[in-house]
Amino acid sequence: MAVLLLAEVQGAELSMDQTAKAVTAATALGDVTVLCASSGCGGAADAAAKIAGVAKVLCADDAAYGNGLAEPIADLIVSLAGDYDHIVAPATTNGKNILPRVAALLDVMVISDVTGIVSADTFERPIYAGNAIQTVQSSDNKKVVSIRTTGFDAAAETGSASVEKIAAVANPGLSEWVEDKVQTSDRPDLTSAKIVVSGGRGVGSAENFAIIEQLADKLGAAVGASRAAVDSGYAPNDWQVGQTGKVVAPDLYIAIGISGAIQHLAGMKDSKVIVAINKDEEAPIFQVADYGLVADLFDAVPALNDALG
């Protein structure tokens, strides 16, 4: 079996964490070829070649792919699809934008958010906000699959695959890039951070969120938020963790003032260690927490910040 894996490339930089985890999943399906498609993606292709399990890297360096527009990248993948049994990508914003178009052009189904590889045609994916696992078997001649990378460990950077430059295909011209508005931060990216500190509605206000950010900065962590906190205006939308936000699986997840609605649990319950701080001892978050502290967060968090120096 041959697998074409679309690397997660932001600008000209490879997202090593997302791509390496997707490679781990893809190697269970067959020989993995990684496709880097962007403008100036030579460095990303060289980085992808170092991922263990990668047999070859294709580098499509063209301005048409520089801003992640789904239509030209989908056409490029379809032009290569004849040589592959599986087309795979991380289930990121880019992957979720591109793969459905690829599947439509190939007239096959897209199997999304896969967390387990059973066999070459059978996959596991969460449903009902992660409360059940659905096993999907596809009879399509080509399988188009997005990988929820939180379910896999990153492949080591011990590979030495060859890199082949390939030509771009004709740009369909169905969309054009206008601008990107990206919030910059010195903190780790939320989806790949090893430690995440999240605040919920219990934090009470945007001003009070400063104690969450202070704790995160002392731990070198990313900051997250529940949907209730985001909807209340306490935190920006890109901090949202949950079924309708970002799915994370850090080594340590600290939930502060978060009750633990099912939608939030779907986005963080695969974290290695979960610590919950909530004054309501009946809060659902304690059902998934490894360590729970029943306390007022306005007492506990400042004390923790003081203890950390």
Side-chain angles (χ1 to χ4, degrees):
M1 293 287 183
V3 183
L4 179 65
L5 189 153
L6 177 64
E8 180 71 9
V9 179
Q10 300 287 345
E13 299 293 325
L14 180 73
S15 173
M16 179 61 75
D17 184 72
Q18 296 284 356
T19 304
K21 289 178 178 178
V23 167
T24 297
T27 52
L29 298 169
D31 295 329
V32 179
T33 297
V34 172
L35 170 63
C36 292
S38 187
S39 178
C41 62
D46 291 339
K50 297 177 182 178
I51 301 175
V54 174
K56 182 169 68 173
V57 178
L58 303 179
C59 178
D61 185 346
D62 192 273
Y65 310 132
N67 299 107
L69 291 180
E71 293 86 358
I73 295 177
D75 279 4
L76 173 66
I77 293 172
V78 170
S79 74
L80 300 169
D83 296 329
Y84 301 96
D85 304 291
H86 297 81
I87 297 168
V88 175
T92 59
T93 300
N94 285 336
K96 291 177 179 179
N97 195 20
I98 294 166
L99 287 190
R101 290 172 165 84
V102 172
L105 291 169
L106 295 174
D107 194 24
V108 298
M109 70 186 293
V110 59
I111 305 170
S112 60
D113 285 308
V114 165
T115 56
I117 309 294
V118 178
S119 67
D121 65 354
T122 307
F123 310 89
E124 293 178 343
R125 59 185 301 274
I127 58 173
Y128 302 129
N131 284 287
I133 300 297
Q134 181 183 60
T135 301
V136 180
Q137 185 173 46
S138 171
S139 59
D140 289 331
N141 61 335
K142 294 190 184 299
K143 316 296 189 291
V144 178
V145 180
S146 70
I147 302 295
R148 182 177 287 192
T149 53
T150 55
F152 299 90
D153 294 328
E157 296 178 44
T158 56
S160 57
S162 61
V163 177
E164 177 185 338
K165 293 184 177 180
I166 60 173
V169 297
N171 188 341
L174 297 174
S175 61
E176 64 178 16
W177 174 79
V178 176
E179 66 175 329
D180 289 330
K181 291 185 178 180
V182 180
Q183 188 175 37
T184 58
S185 174
D186 293 331
R187 298 188 183 103
D189 178 71
L190 181 57
T191 56
S192 59
K194 300 299 183 184
I195 304 173
V196 174
V197 180
S198 284
R201 181 183 288 154
V203 177
S205 70
E207 291 73 24
N208 289 343
F209 235 82
I211 64 172
I212 305 296
E213 296 180 62
Q214 183 182 4
L215 178 58
D217 291 341
K218 289 191 174 184
L219 294 172
V223 178
S226 68
R227 178 172 179 171
V230 171
D231 288 349
S232 298
Y234 303 165
N237 187 69
D238 61 348
W239 288 4
Q240 184 175 324
V241 173
Q243 186 179 18
T244 54
K246 295 178 179 177
V247 177
V248 300
D251 294 336
L252 173 62
Y253 187 89
I254 304 176
I256 300 171
I258 295 174
S259 63
I262 186 173
Q263 293 85 353
H264 185 77
L265 299 183
M268 46 65 71
K269 67 180 183 180
D270 290 330
S271 303
K272 305 296 187 295
V273 176
I274 299 172
V275 175
I277 301 174
N278 199 297
K279 64 182 180 181
D280 178 9
E281 64 182 21
E282 301 297 327
I285 192 71
F286 289 124
Q287 296 177 16
V288 299
D290 297 286
Y291 300 95
L293 175 61
V294 179
D296 189 319
L297 69 90
F298 296 108
D299 294 328
V301 179
L304 183 55
N305 280 326
D306 290 343
L308 291 170

